[in-house]
Amino acid sequence: MRLSKAFKLALRNISRNKLRNSFVVLAFILAVILGGIIIGPVNGLKSYWVSSINEAGFNAIVVIPGRAELGGSGYSPPTKYIKVEDALYIKNKNIKEIVAISPIIIVGFLIFGQNTSSFMAGGWEDLLTIGELKLHKGRFIEERDKNDQEINAVLGYNVWNKYLGGNVDVNQKLEVNLILRQNVLIKTLNVKLKIIGLLEKRPPIPGTNLNPNDAIIVYLNQALKLANITDVNNAIVDNIFISVNDFNNLDIVSQEVVKILEERGYKKDIDFTIVSQKDALNVVDRIFSQFNSFINIIWAVIIIISSLSVLIVMVITVRERYKEIGTLRALGAKRTDVLILFLFESLILSLIGVLIGSVTSILVIQILKESYEFIRYVTMEIILQTYSIIIPEIILASIVFALYPSYRATKIEPAVALRYE
Amino acid sequence: MAVVSLIGVSKYYKVGFTVVKALENINLEIKENEFVSVLGPSGSGKTTLLNMIGCLDKPTKGKVIFKGLDVTLLNDKKLSEFRANNIGFVFQTFNLLPNLTALENVEIASSFSNKTKNVRERAIELLNLVGLRERLFHKPSQLSGGEQQRVAIARALINDPEIILADEPTGNLDSKTAEEIMDLFLKLKKMGKTIVLVTHNTSLATKSDRIIYIKDGKIINETIKSV
C-alpha cells in the first residue's frame, strides 16, 4: 500500500471516534502548552542572562576583596584589604594582555527620589575602556581632573536622563547630597559637581552589582578627597577592573594577577576573589544545567502521560477494529500496511495536537507576559527554538507508544479476525 | 483447467487439551468459470474450507495448489500479495469500511494489488455493474444491506481475481434481496468468473454448477447440476 494512501485512510479513520480521539489531541495540546510554558521561559531566561553577559562586552576580570561566590550567597571579608597601590602595581607591570585597568571606590550614594538611587564611584580614566562606556556628550574623566579644584563628574544614563529629567548639560553645575559611605556613621555631604560628560545607556556589568547607568563617575583622587582620604595609594578599593585584549586571554591574565597579588601577600579566595565573564557564563551554565535536568524530568513525565493516552486509545481502537483489520488482511493488506496505518493514525493525532498546542502555547505565553516579568524574555525565536526540541520529542514519543498496539494489530490472523464478533 | 486444488487438506485446532478437526483430508478441485456452492450445518467446516481456498489460513496437512502454485509454501507477505491479486472475498456481514464511501470501499482493495491503473474508472464501472451507479458517494451507513453487499461484490471484483469466495453472502439479507445477490453471482459466472459460495440456503445453492456437502470437516456428498 502506498504511503500516501495509508495516510489518507488513517486520516479518514481518525474522524470516526471524534470524542475519543479528541482526548488524545487534547493531551498533546496540553503537553505542548506545558512544554512551551515550562521550557520556553527557562530557555528564555538563560538566553537573556548569557546574552546580557555577552552584550556587556565585558572582556574583563574583576578583583573582589574577600571571598565571594558568584551566583551563590557566600561572602567572607578579607583579612587583608586590597588597596589602590596594588592596582597601580599591576598597572606598572605592563602585562601585554591588559589593555586597561582601574580601581573603583564607591564613596557614597545619592537619592534622587523614590527608588531612584545613584552612587558615586571613583576610578581612573581606563574605566571608559573597561566598561565599554560610550559618551553621549562631553568627555570622560582624565588624569588632569585629579588636581582640579572643581569635582568633574560623568553622569550615567539613568542619572542624567531619568533622575534629573534630562535637563542637564555638560559644563553645568550640579548640587547633590552625597551620603558618604564611611563605617557605620552616615554622613551627608553637600557636593557641587561640574558635569563634564553624559554617558549612553549600557547593560549592567556582569559579576558585580554595579550598574553604570546609575553611576556618577569622578576621578579617584577627587572621590577620595570628598571622603577626606588623602593617602590615595593606601585607600581600600571596592574592586579592581582589568580589561583584557581577548576573551581567550581571561584565564592567563587571571593567573598573572593572582600571582602578583599573592606575591604582595594576599591569599586567593580569602583576601580576594577573581571573577571574569567566563565565570559568570559558567555560573549561568551551572545553575541552568541543574535546573534543566529538573525540568527534563517534568517534561519526560508530561510526554509519557500524553503518549499514554495514545497507547490506551490505540489499544482500544485495535480491539474495536479487529474485524476491519481481518478484512483488510483478506483484501491483501500486509502486516506492514496495518502497522503503518495505525502508526499514521497516532501520528496524525499527535500532529493535530502539536499544531493546536503550538498556537495556543504562543497565545498563553503572550498573555502570561503581561503578568510575569521573567516570561518577557521569551522571544518568538526562543519559542520556535523550544518547539524545535519539544515537538519532535512529542511526535517521536507518540509513535513509540503507538508501536505496541500497532504491532499487536499486525499479529492478528485474518481468519481469526474475520470470525470476531 | 483447475483454478484451485486442495490435496489431502486437513486443519486441526487445539482448544485447551483437545484437538478439533475442522477439516479432514479434503480433496477438491475447482475449475475455471465454475460456480460451486458449499452446503453444510453450522460448525461443519465450511468457512474453514473457504479460508483454505482463500489463503487466509494454512492447512495443518495437505497442499493448496493455486494455478500450479503451492500457496502453502508462501510466507505471510507473499500470501498477502497473492490474495490481493488473485482472490476476491465477499462476507456475510459485508465488512465495508464505515468511514469510506462506496466508491472508496471498492478502490481500497486495489491499494494492495499490483493493478493500480485506472482504479477509479474500474471502480465506477463495477459499481455500475452491480447497479449502484447512483450510490457512489454514499457511506455504508447510508446503504441498505443488499446495497452494501453489492459494494462488497464490486470490491471483490476490482482486482479482477481468479476466484471469488463468498461466505454466506445472503445470510444477512431478506429472501428477495438474497435472490437479487444470487442473480448477481450468476451474472458474474456468465462473465467468466469462478465462484465458491458458502451458504445455508439450499434453494440458492441449487442455482450453482456443483454443490459440495460438508459435515464434520469432511466432504460427504457432491451434486453436479446437469446441463
Side-chain angles (χ1 to χ4, degrees):
Chain A
M1 193 184 201
R2 285 218 313 268
L3 286 178
S4 58
K5 281 212 167 177
F7 191 82
K8 272 184 200 168
L9 186 59
L11 204 60
R12 301 292 288 271
N13 282 343
I14 60 160
S15 62
R16 269 154 76 175
N17 278 299
K18 288 193 182 75
L19 184 67
R20 188 198 297 157
N21 289 333
S22 59
F23 279 119
V24 180
V25 170
L26 190 66
F28 282 112
I29 292 173
L30 289 174
V32 179
I33 292 175
L34 286 172
I37 290 171
I38 294 170
I39 297 171
V42 172
N43 286 341
L45 209 55
K46 183 182 179 183
S47 137
Y48 170 75
W49 280 14
V50 170
S51 65
S52 59
I53 289 169
N54 288 329
E55 247 175 52
F58 204 58
N59 264 0
I61 58 172
V62 185
V63 180
I64 302 167
R67 178 191 168 83
E69 281 175 31
L70 191 61
S73 55
Y75 177 79
S76 353
T79 52
K80 187 182 174 189
Y81 281 89
I82 295 196
K83 293 169 181 162
V84 173
E85 63 182 10
D86 299 311
L88 213 49
Y89 188 82
I90 298 168
K91 187 181 181 179
N92 291 337
K93 280 271 179 181
N94 289 326
I95 298 164
K96 68 175 190 301
E97 288 87 1
I98 294 179
V99 291
I101 179 167
S102 174
I104 195 158
I105 297 176
I106 312 294
V107 284
F109 300 93
L110 303 95
I111 293 170
F112 290 102
Q114 224 178 2
N115 300 325
T116 52
S117 68
S118 162
F119 63 91
M120 185 181 280
W124 294 338
E125 61 275 23
D126 276 7
L127 279 179
L128 186 72
T129 312
I130 297 165
E132 289 191 356
L133 304 174
K134 284 191 179 67
L135 278 159
H136 174 73
K137 216 169 183 186
R139 67 171 178 89
F140 199 64
I141 51 165
E142 290 167 10
E143 202 178 348
R144 63 177 152 117
D145 293 325
K146 72 179 179 189
N147 297 320
D148 205 320
Q149 288 304 305
E150 287 184 297
I151 299 162
N152 299 329
V154 176
L155 308 186
Y157 181 82
N158 287 346
V159 178
W160 67 265
N161 190 45
K162 279 191 187 172
Y163 310 151
L164 299 170
N167 302 321
V168 284
D169 208 346
V170 285
N171 294 327
Q172 193 181 316
K173 302 281 188 303
L174 180 68
E175 207 172 315
V176 291
N177 287 323
L178 178 69
I179 304 159
L180 280 174
R181 186 172 156 235
Q182 279 180 332
N183 301 327
V184 287
L185 289 169
I186 295 173
K187 189 179 162 193
T188 307
L189 198 70
N190 187 266
V191 182
K192 273 185 189 142
L193 304 171
K194 183 191 171 191
I195 302 167
I196 57 165
L198 306 175
L199 291 174
E200 291 281 6
K201 193 176 183 176
R202 66 145 293 146
I205 295 172
T208 73
N209 295 324
L210 301 177
N211 182 353
N213 300 317
D214 288 334
I216 295 177
I217 303 168
V218 297
Y219 204 84
L220 184 72
N221 301 48
Q222 290 199 315
L224 292 173
K225 205 187 284 172
L226 288 173
N228 260 336
I229 299 167
T230 47
D231 188 358
V232 175
N233 285 354
N234 264 321
I236 295 165
V237 300
D238 284 304
N239 295 124
I240 299 173
F241 286 97
I242 301 165
S243 190
V244 178
N245 60 358
D246 191 278
F247 183 81
N248 297 318
N249 289 334
L250 284 171
D251 288 341
I252 302 168
V253 174
S254 292
Q255 284 160 16
E256 197 65 30
V257 170
V258 169
K259 209 172 115 194
I260 293 168
L261 290 175
E262 282 179 342
E263 275 169 15
R264 291 176 69 80
Y266 295 100
K267 292 186 191 80
K268 187 176 179 279
D269 293 332
I270 294 174
D271 296 326
F272 70 94
T273 308
I274 289 191
V275 172
S276 72
Q277 184 179 357
K278 261 189 182 170
D279 296 310
L281 288 171
N282 287 344
V283 169
V284 171
D285 264 352
R286 203 179 65 217
I287 293 171
F288 277 93
S289 70
Q290 282 183 16
F291 206 48
N292 274 342
S293 63
F294 176 70
I295 295 254
N296 282 343
I297 294 170
I298 296 175
W299 177 234
V301 172
I302 293 170
I303 284 193
I304 288 170
I305 293 171
S306 61
S307 302
L308 270 176
S309 69
V310 167
L311 177 74
I312 295 164
V313 164
M314 291 313 274
V315 165
I316 298 168
T317 304
V318 167
R319 186 164 292 188
E320 206 175 65
R321 302 220 315 249
Y322 217 73
K323 197 162 189 170
E324 187 180 310
I325 295 164
T327 306
L328 289 173
R329 296 278 282 128
L331 295 178
K334 297 181 199 78
R335 291 190 197 277
T336 46
D337 292 329
V338 176
L339 181 81
I340 287 166
L341 185 65
F342 280 94
L343 285 182
F344 269 155
E345 285 187 27
S346 60
L347 179 70
I348 292 166
L349 290 177
S350 63
L351 282 176
I352 295 170
V354 159
L355 197 72
I356 300 172
S358 306
V359 176
T360 318
S361 178
I362 291 170
L363 292 175
V364 171
I365 288 172
Q366 300 308 321
I367 293 164
L368 289 177
K369 271 184 183 176
E370 302 297 318
S371 315
Y372 300 97
E373 199 175 345
F374 74 99
I375 294 181
R376 282 175 202 162
Y377 306 129
V378 187
T379 58
M380 190 51 86
E381 193 189 340
I382 288 163
I383 294 173
L384 296 178
Q385 209 179 341
T386 308
Y387 284 171
S388 71
I389 300 165
I390 66 169
I391 290 175
E393 283 176 354
I394 290 178
I395 292 170
L396 186 71
S398 76
I399 292 171
V400 168
F401 277 71
L403 268 177
Y404 169 71
S406 305
Y407 174 75
R408 283 272 302 265
T410 68
K411 287 288 155 197
I412 295 169
E413 290 301 332
V416 179
L418 286 168
R419 275 201 301 270
Y420 189 80
E421 292 299 334
Chain B
M1 188 192 169
V3 176
V4 61
S5 307
L6 276 67
I7 305 162
V9 167
S10 299
K11 180 70 184 176
Y12 305 150
Y13 294 108
K14 212 176 163 193
V15 182
F17 293 106
T18 55
V19 174
V20 176
K21 293 180 177 176
L23 290 178
E24 181 74 4
N25 194 29
I26 299 282
N27 290 292
L28 176 67
E29 198 169 80
I30 292 157
K31 293 187 184 69
E32 216 166 282
N33 196 26
E34 198 181 8
F35 188 167
V36 179
S37 289
V38 182
L39 273 176
S42 293
S44 57
K46 302 187 298 292
T47 300
T48 309
L49 177 68
L50 208 68
N51 288 345
M52 292 299 147
I53 300 169
C55 307
L56 285 174
D57 211 350
K58 282 187 176 183
T60 313
K61 274 199 286 190
K63 285 179 181 179
V64 178
I65 309 291
F66 215 106
K67 283 213 157 176
L69 176 73
D70 185 353
V71 290
T72 52
L73 301 175
L74 297 179
N75 64 22
D76 192 83
K77 190 182 168 196
K78 292 278 175 202
L79 217 51
S80 299
E81 284 170 7
F82 188 84
R83 275 198 302 271
N85 291 303
N86 297 288
I87 299 160
F89 284 97
V90 180
F91 305 100
Q92 182 181 353
T93 48
F94 328 126
N95 295 20
L96 299 178
L97 302 186
N99 47 320
L100 302 187
T101 62
L103 188 60
E104 288 165 335
N105 260 295
V106 176
E107 286 175 337
I108 189 83
S110 71
S111 317
F112 311 116
S113 76
N114 52 22
K115 289 154 191 157
T116 50
K117 281 186 184 164
N118 307 322
V119 175
R120 175 131 302 193
E121 289 81 355
R122 279 192 289 121
I124 293 171
E125 198 181 304
L126 289 168
L127 285 165
N128 195 15
L129 176 80
V130 297
L132 289 176
R133 179 188 274 190
E134 310 299 321
R135 295 275 195 268
L136 300 182
F137 302 104
H138 284 64
K139 288 196 173 173
S141 58
Q142 297 164 318
L143 299 172
S144 69
E147 285 172 330
Q148 286 189 55
Q149 197 58 297
R150 284 165 191 271
V151 175
I153 292 168
R155 180 178 66 183
L157 292 167
I158 188 81
N159 293 326
D160 192 21
E162 294 288 344
I163 191 164
I164 294 164
L165 305 177
D167 191 359
E168 303 197 29
T170 57
N172 276 13
L173 304 173
D174 59 72
S175 55
K176 187 175 171 285
T177 315
E179 287 283 348
E180 284 169 11
I181 293 296
M182 195 60 193
D183 289 343
L184 190 53
F185 279 119
L186 289 168
K187 189 175 165 186
L188 295 177
K189 143 86 183 157
K190 275 183 192 157
M191 288 167 69
K193 300 289 171 193
T194 309
I195 301 159
V196 178
L197 176 86
V198 165
T199 183
H200 275 114
N201 192 324
T202 318
S203 67
L204 288 178
T206 52
K207 293 185 176 178
S208 58
D209 301 330
R210 179 159 56 128
I211 303 171
I212 293 166
Y213 296 90
I214 190 165
K215 195 181 174 190
D216 300 330
K218 291 174 190 162
I219 295 174
I220 54 163
N221 198 7
E222 247 184 273
T223 318
I224 300 171
K225 191 173 159 186
S226 52
V227 183

